[in-house]
Amino acid sequence: MALSQTSRTLWSETAFLKLWVGQSISNFGSAITNLALPLTAVVLLHASSGQMGVLRAMLTIPALFMSLLFGVWVDRLRRRPLLIAADVGRMLLLGLIPLAAWLNLLRIEYLYLIGLLVGTLTVLFDIAITSFLPSVVPREALVEGNSKMQQSSTFVSIVGPGAAGALIGLVTAPMAIIVDAFSFLASVLSLWWIRVPEHHMLPGASARASFWQEIREGFHALLRTPVLRDLTIFTALGAFFSTIQQTIFVLFVLNVLKLTTLQLGLVVSSSGIASFLGALLVNRVARHLGPGPTIVLGESLTALGGVLVAAAGGPFAVALLVLICGQAAFGLGTPLYSINQIALRQAMTPAHLLGRVNASRRFLVFGIMPLAALLSGLLGSVFGLRSTLVIGAGGLLFTSLWAFFSSVRQVYIFPRDQG
């Protein structure tokens, strides 16, 4: 599939446009649930910091136990049907939350179970979608393709939290999750209408290699390359300390800073605005600095965001301003980091290994997030919410230093013909 790198040519590619539209609608629904789910636990069920830690862990623990299995599946099977199955499952599961609330049956334990199952399907979807994109977009356009997907995601995150805050105020948090449940239907339809060949399955590969051999191949492909290895290490560190902050963020904002749910939505929207700006600028910044330095810059900005969030306090106006600046710094840094690291991994990995490499990376990075979530709940209960945010901020600063001195900073040219 030969395409130029112009935006017009990529937008004219029908398969990519279908994928982009479906994921944009689905991301809008997810932006609502990302706010509505913790608010359901905090406001409706009066969850403690420890219970919020458990809920966060339920959403992330599937990465530890299911990533490697799903990575083998994604390399053995066609990826599009896996994506459709994951979306259908998440649509049905999330629909149970407003139903249980309407019947006055909702309990925190039900949120744990639904979170665990939704998290499991999200792991499958994320591994498959990252591995499926190179079948839709040629390797020389991977940065642009990932950038456009990120732009739609971040644009949605601008309006999503604000819309979520208003919607939650009108119909309550659990009822707002209905929007997300139905948004998965748009993703299912867009994937159903995509018809592209998938050439990642090598003839006879499944018969020649055992399950564990295939897993080892994925780890070997990830860790034998210094750039991908270093990228995985500091990404795991960043994910650990970000999770410590994010787990108690809603509790801190509502209970310590005394923001309303609508104000919380607007604060989170500031991160979305900055993320959209970062997604628009990422190609230009990467061409000027190189993908490696751009990744390090993005990691540094997210660390700055964590520091500002931990420092938010004092008079209400000052606290709100610092909180918005922190969210904006985090939002600006995220696409600079994430788009380039995804594109590097996609371009440096052979197509038949991409599912397992993505799964191995997810296992190492996301697998420690449940521990971070549980630790965050414990730290919040023992030392307080602000002290826990400070610990997370210190860890993010350490992560940015690690990234600066890693081999990733030396990648000045994007590899286009790997694998």
Side-chain angles (χ1 to χ4, degrees), residues 107-139:
R107 297 165 53 92
I108 191 67
E109 292 82 5
Y110 297 159
L111 290 187
Y112 293 161
L113 179 59
I114 292 173
L116 178 65
L117 296 175
V118 169
T120 299
L121 293 175
T122 298
V123 170
L124 174 59
F125 186 90
D126 288 349
I127 293 172
I129 195 72
T130 306
S131 306
F132 181 63
L133 186 63
S135 296
V136 179
V137 175
R139 287 182 179 268

mmCIF file of all heavy atoms in Angstrom, residues 107-139:
data_model
loop_
_atom_site.group_PDB
_atom_site.id
_atom_site.type_symbol
_atom_site.label_atom_id
_atom_site.label_comp_id
_atom_site.label_asym_id
_atom_site.label_seq_id
_atom_site.Cartn_x
_atom_site.Cartn_y
_atom_site.Cartn_z
ATOM 1 N N ARG A 107 -23.716 -1.730 43.916
ATOM 2 C CA ARG A 107 -22.797 -1.833 45.050
ATOM 3 C C ARG A 107 -21.370 -1.677 44.544
ATOM 4 O O ARG A 107 -21.090 -1.904 43.361
ATOM 5 C CB ARG A 107 -22.946 -3.200 45.742
ATOM 6 C CG ARG A 107 -24.305 -3.456 46.357
ATOM 7 C CD ARG A 107 -24.494 -4.931 46.687
ATOM 8 N NE ARG A 107 -23.403 -5.453 47.508
ATOM 9 C CZ ARG A 107 -23.412 -5.477 48.851
ATOM 10 N NH1 ARG A 107 -24.479 -5.006 49.497
ATOM 11 N NH2 ARG A 107 -22.405 -5.969 49.518
ATOM 12 N N ILE A 108 -20.464 -1.313 45.430
ATOM 13 C CA ILE A 108 -19.073 -1.132 45.037
ATOM 14 C C ILE A 108 -18.481 -2.435 44.515
ATOM 15 O O ILE A 108 -17.648 -2.446 43.608
ATOM 16 C CB ILE A 108 -18.228 -0.580 46.220
ATOM 17 C CG1 ILE A 108 -16.841 -0.141 45.740
ATOM 18 C CG2 ILE A 108 -18.111 -1.608 47.333
ATOM 19 C CD1 ILE A 108 -16.851 1.046 44.827
ATOM 20 N N GLU A 109 -18.945 -3.573 45.062
ATOM 21 C CA GLU A 109 -18.442 -4.863 44.589
ATOM 22 C C GLU A 109 -18.805 -5.102 43.126
ATOM 23 O O GLU A 109 -18.041 -5.722 42.380
ATOM 24 C CB GLU A 109 -19.001 -6.004 45.457
ATOM 25 C CG GLU A 109 -18.486 -6.025 46.878
ATOM 26 C CD GLU A 109 -19.224 -5.058 47.796
ATOM 27 O OE1 GLU A 109 -20.213 -4.436 47.333
ATOM 28 O OE2 GLU A 109 -18.824 -4.945 48.969
ATOM 29 N N TYR A 110 -19.974 -4.613 42.696
ATOM 30 C CA TYR A 110 -20.365 -4.759 41.294
ATOM 31 C C TYR A 110 -19.456 -3.921 40.402
ATOM 32 O O TYR A 110 -19.098 -4.346 39.294
ATOM 33 C CB TYR A 110 -21.823 -4.339 41.101
ATOM 34 C CG TYR A 110 -22.828 -5.186 41.842
ATOM 35 C CD1 TYR A 110 -24.106 -4.712 42.123
ATOM 36 C CD2 TYR A 110 -22.504 -6.474 42.268
ATOM 37 C CE1 TYR A 110 -25.041 -5.498 42.808
ATOM 38 C CE2 TYR A 110 -23.422 -7.258 42.958
ATOM 39 C CZ TYR A 110 -24.682 -6.766 43.232
ATOM 40 O OH TYR A 110 -25.591 -7.541 43.902
ATOM 41 N N LEU A 111 -19.090 -2.731 40.884
ATOM 42 C CA LEU A 111 -18.152 -1.910 40.111
ATOM 43 C C LEU A 111 -16.801 -2.604 40.001
ATOM 44 O O LEU A 111 -16.142 -2.521 38.956
ATOM 45 C CB LEU A 111 -17.990 -0.533 40.760
ATOM 46 C CG LEU A 111 -19.177 0.421 40.701
ATOM 47 C CD1 LEU A 111 -18.770 1.788 41.237
ATOM 48 C CD2 LEU A 111 -19.726 0.546 39.295
ATOM 49 N N TYR A 112 -16.365 -3.267 41.076
ATOM 50 C CA TYR A 112 -15.113 -4.024 41.011
ATOM 51 C C TYR A 112 -15.170 -5.061 39.892
ATOM 52 O O TYR A 112 -14.242 -5.181 39.073
ATOM 53 C CB TYR A 112 -14.838 -4.751 42.334
ATOM 54 C CG TYR A 112 -14.550 -3.873 43.528
ATOM 55 C CD1 TYR A 112 -14.678 -4.380 44.824
ATOM 56 C CD2 TYR A 112 -14.141 -2.550 43.383
ATOM 57 C CE1 TYR A 112 -14.419 -3.601 45.926
ATOM 58 C CE2 TYR A 112 -13.886 -1.752 44.491
ATOM 59 C CZ TYR A 112 -14.023 -2.287 45.765
ATOM 60 O OH TYR A 112 -13.770 -1.512 46.871
ATOM 61 N N LEU A 113 -16.248 -5.861 39.867
ATOM 62 C CA LEU A 113 -16.359 -6.945 38.897
ATOM 63 C C LEU A 113 -16.466 -6.415 37.471
ATOM 64 O O LEU A 113 -15.774 -6.906 36.562
ATOM 65 C CB LEU A 113 -17.581 -7.813 39.228
ATOM 66 C CG LEU A 113 -17.851 -8.991 38.274
ATOM 67 C CD1 LEU A 113 -16.653 -9.936 38.231
ATOM 68 C CD2 LEU A 113 -19.117 -9.729 38.675
ATOM 69 N N ILE A 114 -17.320 -5.414 37.283
ATOM 70 C CA ILE A 114 -17.464 -4.842 35.941
ATOM 71 C C ILE A 114 -16.157 -4.193 35.500
ATOM 72 O O ILE A 114 -15.733 -4.325 34.342
ATOM 73 C CB ILE A 114 -18.626 -3.834 35.911
ATOM 74 C CG1 ILE A 114 -19.956 -4.569 36.108
ATOM 75 C CG2 ILE A 114 -18.640 -3.053 34.600
ATOM 76 C CD1 ILE A 114 -21.154 -3.648 36.273
ATOM 77 N N GLY A 115 -15.491 -3.504 36.431
ATOM 78 C CA GLY A 115 -14.203 -2.897 36.109
ATOM 79 C C GLY A 115 -13.180 -3.938 35.691
ATOM 80 O O GLY A 115 -12.400 -3.727 34.754
ATOM 81 N N LEU A 116 -13.161 -5.083 36.371
ATOM 82 C CA LEU A 116 -12.228 -6.154 36.035
ATOM 83 C C LEU A 116 -12.489 -6.692 34.628
ATOM 84 O O LEU A 116 -11.556 -6.880 33.827
ATOM 85 C CB LEU A 116 -12.345 -7.281 37.059
ATOM 86 C CG LEU A 116 -11.463 -8.515 36.830
ATOM 87 C CD1 LEU A 116 -9.994 -8.161 36.959
ATOM 88 C CD2 LEU A 116 -11.835 -9.628 37.815
ATOM 89 N N LEU A 117 -13.750 -6.930 34.303
ATOM 90 C CA LEU A 117 -14.099 -7.487 32.996
ATOM 91 C C LEU A 117 -13.887 -6.471 31.875
ATOM 92 O O LEU A 117 -13.368 -6.809 30.802
ATOM 93 C CB LEU A 117 -15.546 -7.980 33.014
ATOM 94 C CG LEU A 117 -15.839 -9.141 33.969
ATOM 95 C CD1 LEU A 117 -17.331 -9.464 33.985
ATOM 96 C CD2 LEU A 117 -15.023 -10.374 33.603
ATOM 97 N N VAL A 118 -14.282 -5.220 32.119
ATOM 98 C CA VAL A 118 -14.053 -4.179 31.121
ATOM 99 C C VAL A 118 -12.556 -3.962 30.910
ATOM 100 O O VAL A 118 -12.084 -3.799 29.780
ATOM 101 C CB VAL A 118 -14.740 -2.865 31.538
ATOM 102 C CG1 VAL A 118 -14.283 -1.698 30.654
ATOM 103 C CG2 VAL A 118 -16.251 -3.000 31.454
ATOM 104 N N GLY A 119 -11.792 -3.986 32.005
ATOM 105 C CA GLY A 119 -10.346 -3.849 31.896
ATOM 106 C C GLY A 119 -9.726 -4.970 31.080
ATOM 107 O O GLY A 119 -8.793 -4.752 30.307
ATOM 108 N N THR A 120 -10.246 -6.180 31.238
ATOM 109 C CA THR A 120 -9.735 -7.320 30.475
ATOM 110 C C THR A 120 -9.968 -7.126 28.984
ATOM 111 O O THR A 120 -9.058 -7.325 28.155
ATOM 112 C CB THR A 120 -10.425 -8.618 30.941
ATOM 113 O OG1 THR A 120 -10.133 -8.830 32.324
ATOM 114 C CG2 THR A 120 -9.937 -9.816 30.138
ATOM 115 N N LEU A 121 -11.185 -6.719 28.611
ATOM 116 C CA LEU A 121 -11.489 -6.498 27.200
ATOM 117 C C LEU A 121 -10.730 -5.297 26.642
ATOM 118 O O LEU A 121 -10.380 -5.267 25.457
ATOM 119 C CB LEU A 121 -12.995 -6.303 27.022
ATOM 120 C CG LEU A 121 -13.852 -7.548 27.308
ATOM 121 C CD1 LEU A 121 -15.329 -7.214 27.215
ATOM 122 C CD2 LEU A 121 -13.493 -8.676 26.360
ATOM 123 N N THR A 122 -10.457 -4.308 27.490
ATOM 124 C CA THR A 122 -9.679 -3.151 27.045
ATOM 125 C C THR A 122 -8.249 -3.544 26.724
ATOM 126 O O THR A 122 -7.647 -3.034 25.766
ATOM 127 C CB THR A 122 -9.704 -2.044 28.118
ATOM 128 O OG1 THR A 122 -11.061 -1.616 28.317
ATOM 129 C CG2 THR A 122 -8.866 -0.839 27.694
ATOM 130 N N VAL A 123 -7.677 -4.448 27.507
ATOM 131 C CA VAL A 123 -6.334 -4.946 27.209
ATOM 132 C C VAL A 123 -6.313 -5.603 25.828
ATOM 133 O O VAL A 123 -5.429 -5.335 25.004
ATOM 134 C CB VAL A 123 -5.871 -5.952 28.282
ATOM 135 C CG1 VAL A 123 -4.583 -6.652 27.852
ATOM 136 C CG2 VAL A 123 -5.648 -5.238 29.610
ATOM 137 N N LEU A 124 -7.290 -6.467 25.569
ATOM 138 C CA LEU A 124 -7.366 -7.128 24.267
ATOM 139 C C LEU A 124 -7.516 -6.100 23.146
ATOM 140 O O LEU A 124 -6.820 -6.183 22.117
ATOM 141 C CB LEU A 124 -8.546 -8.102 24.253
ATOM 142 C CG LEU A 124 -8.859 -8.784 22.910
ATOM 143 C CD1 LEU A 124 -7.661 -9.587 22.425
ATOM 144 C CD2 LEU A 124 -10.094 -9.662 23.027
ATOM 145 N N PHE A 125 -8.411 -5.138 23.338
ATOM 146 C CA PHE A 125 -8.651 -4.136 22.295
ATOM 147 C C PHE A 125 -7.404 -3.300 22.033
ATOM 148 O O PHE A 125 -7.029 -3.075 20.870
ATOM 149 C CB PHE A 125 -9.815 -3.228 22.696
ATOM 150 C CG PHE A 125 -10.217 -2.266 21.619
ATOM 151 C CD1 PHE A 125 -11.181 -2.619 20.695
ATOM 152 C CD2 PHE A 125 -9.623 -1.009 21.520
ATOM 153 C CE1 PHE A 125 -11.552 -1.735 19.680
ATOM 154 C CE2 PHE A 125 -9.982 -0.131 20.512
ATOM 155 C CZ PHE A 125 -10.953 -0.490 19.582
ATOM 156 N N ASP A 126 -6.753 -2.830 23.082
ATOM 157 C CA ASP A 126 -5.602 -1.934 22.901
ATOM 158 C C ASP A 126 -4.441 -2.635 22.215
ATOM 159 O O ASP A 126 -3.742 -2.039 21.373
ATOM 160 C CB ASP A 126 -5.163 -1.371 24.250
ATOM 161 C CG ASP A 126 -6.142 -0.341 24.793
ATOM 162 O OD1 ASP A 126 -7.043 0.073 24.036
ATOM 163 O OD2 ASP A 126 -6.019 0.032 25.973
ATOM 164 N N ILE A 127 -4.194 -3.896 22.577
ATOM 165 C CA ILE A 127 -3.115 -4.644 21.915
ATOM 166 C C ILE A 127 -3.461 -4.853 20.445
ATOM 167 O O ILE A 127 -2.622 -4.681 19.555
ATOM 168 C CB ILE A 127 -2.882 -5.993 22.615
ATOM 169 C CG1 ILE A 127 -2.315 -5.771 24.016
ATOM 170 C CG2 ILE A 127 -1.921 -6.870 21.801
ATOM 171 C CD1 ILE A 127 -2.228 -7.043 24.844
ATOM 172 N N ALA A 128 -4.716 -5.204 20.178
ATOM 173 C CA ALA A 128 -5.126 -5.489 18.811
ATOM 174 C C ALA A 128 -5.162 -4.234 17.945
ATOM 175 O O ALA A 128 -4.744 -4.264 16.777
ATOM 176 C CB ALA A 128 -6.495 -6.170 18.809
ATOM 177 N N ILE A 129 -5.641 -3.093 18.482
ATOM 178 C CA ILE A 129 -5.752 -1.879 17.668
ATOM 179 C C ILE A 129 -4.382 -1.325 17.325
ATOM 180 O O ILE A 129 -4.141 -0.851 16.208
ATOM 181 C CB ILE A 129 -6.626 -0.809 18.376
ATOM 182 C CG1 ILE A 129 -7.047 0.296 17.386
ATOM 183 C CG2 ILE A 129 -5.900 -0.196 19.550
ATOM 184 C CD1 ILE A 129 -8.058 -0.135 16.386
ATOM 185 N N THR A 130 -3.435 -1.398 18.260
ATOM 186 C CA THR A 130 -2.077 -0.929 17.981
ATOM 187 C C THR A 130 -1.415 -1.800 16.932
ATOM 188 O O THR A 130 -0.632 -1.320 16.110
ATOM 189 C CB THR A 130 -1.235 -0.927 19.274
ATOM 190 O OG1 THR A 130 -1.917 -0.177 20.279
ATOM 191 C CG2 THR A 130 0.122 -0.296 19.030
ATOM 192 N N SER A 131 -1.734 -3.091 16.949
ATOM 193 C CA SER A 131 -1.166 -4.027 15.976
ATOM 194 C C SER A 131 -1.911 -3.992 14.648
ATOM 195 O O SER A 131 -1.345 -4.353 13.612
ATOM 196 C CB SER A 131 -1.204 -5.448 16.550
ATOM 197 O OG SER A 131 -0.569 -5.506 17.808
ATOM 198 N N PHE A 132 -3.176 -3.568 14.667
ATOM 199 C CA PHE A 132 -4.002 -3.520 13.459
ATOM 200 C C PHE A 132 -3.701 -2.293 12.611
ATOM 201 O O PHE A 132 -3.810 -2.344 11.376
ATOM 202 C CB PHE A 132 -5.481 -3.540 13.868
ATOM 203 C CG PHE A 132 -6.449 -3.529 12.721
ATOM 204 C CD1 PHE A 132 -6.496 -4.571 11.813
ATOM 205 C CD2 PHE A 132 -7.340 -2.468 12.559
ATOM 206 C CE1 PHE A 132 -7.405 -4.570 10.751
ATOM 207 C CE2 PHE A 132 -8.246 -2.454 11.509
ATOM 208 C CZ PHE A 132 -8.279 -3.511 10.600
ATOM 209 N N LEU A 133 -3.312 -1.188 13.235
ATOM 210 C CA LEU A 133 -3.115 0.065 12.506
ATOM 211 C C LEU A 133 -2.123 -0.066 11.351
ATOM 212 O O LEU A 133 -2.374 0.490 10.275
ATOM 213 C CB LEU A 133 -2.680 1.176 13.466
ATOM 214 C CG LEU A 133 -2.585 2.579 12.855
ATOM 215 C CD1 LEU A 133 -3.948 3.049 12.360
ATOM 216 C CD2 LEU A 133 -2.018 3.576 13.855
ATOM 217 N N PRO A 134 -0.981 -0.777 11.506
ATOM 218 C CA PRO A 134 -0.079 -0.914 10.353
ATOM 219 C C PRO A 134 -0.688 -1.659 9.171
ATOM 220 O O PRO A 134 -0.119 -1.616 8.073
ATOM 221 C CB PRO A 134 1.111 -1.689 10.943
ATOM 222 C CG PRO A 134 1.107 -1.351 12.391
ATOM 223 C CD PRO A 134 -0.353 -1.273 12.749
ATOM 224 N N SER A 135 -1.812 -2.366 9.360
ATOM 225 C CA SER A 135 -2.512 -2.966 8.229
ATOM 226 C C SER A 135 -3.360 -1.932 7.492
ATOM 227 O O SER A 135 -3.722 -2.129 6.334
ATOM 228 C CB SER A 135 -3.432 -4.105 8.707
ATOM 229 O OG SER A 135 -2.687 -5.162 9.268
ATOM 230 N N VAL A 136 -3.663 -0.826 8.171
ATOM 231 C CA VAL A 136 -4.490 0.230 7.592
ATOM 232 C C VAL A 136 -3.634 1.371 7.052
ATOM 233 O O VAL A 136 -3.964 1.996 6.039
ATOM 234 C CB VAL A 136 -5.486 0.759 8.654
ATOM 235 C CG1 VAL A 136 -6.352 1.881 8.096
ATOM 236 C CG2 VAL A 136 -6.362 -0.375 9.175
ATOM 237 N N VAL A 137 -2.514 1.627 7.728
ATOM 238 C CA VAL A 137 -1.630 2.752 7.398
ATOM 239 C C VAL A 137 -0.245 2.203 7.054
ATOM 240 O O VAL A 137 0.278 1.358 7.790
ATOM 241 C CB VAL A 137 -1.529 3.726 8.591
ATOM 242 C CG1 VAL A 137 -0.522 4.827 8.311
ATOM 243 C CG2 VAL A 137 -2.895 4.317 8.897
ATOM 244 N N PRO A 138 0.374 2.636 5.965
ATOM 245 C CA PRO A 138 1.729 2.167 5.638
ATOM 246 C C PRO A 138 2.748 2.649 6.662
ATOM 247 O O PRO A 138 2.526 3.644 7.361
ATOM 248 C CB PRO A 138 1.993 2.775 4.262
ATOM 249 C CG PRO A 138 1.100 3.960 4.195
ATOM 250 C CD PRO A 138 -0.139 3.594 4.971
ATOM 251 N N ARG A 139 3.865 1.941 6.769
ATOM 252 C CA ARG A 139 4.855 2.249 7.799
ATOM 253 C C ARG A 139 5.378 3.674 7.694
ATOM 254 O O ARG A 139 5.674 4.310 8.696
ATOM 255 C CB ARG A 139 6.023 1.250 7.736
ATOM 256 C CG ARG A 139 5.641 -0.124 8.265
ATOM 257 C CD ARG A 139 6.818 -1.094 8.241
ATOM 258 N NE ARG A 139 6.392 -2.387 8.779
ATOM 259 C CZ ARG A 139 6.502 -2.737 10.054
ATOM 260 N NH1 ARG A 139 7.035 -1.904 10.919
ATOM 261 N NH2 ARG A 139 6.095 -3.914 10.465
#
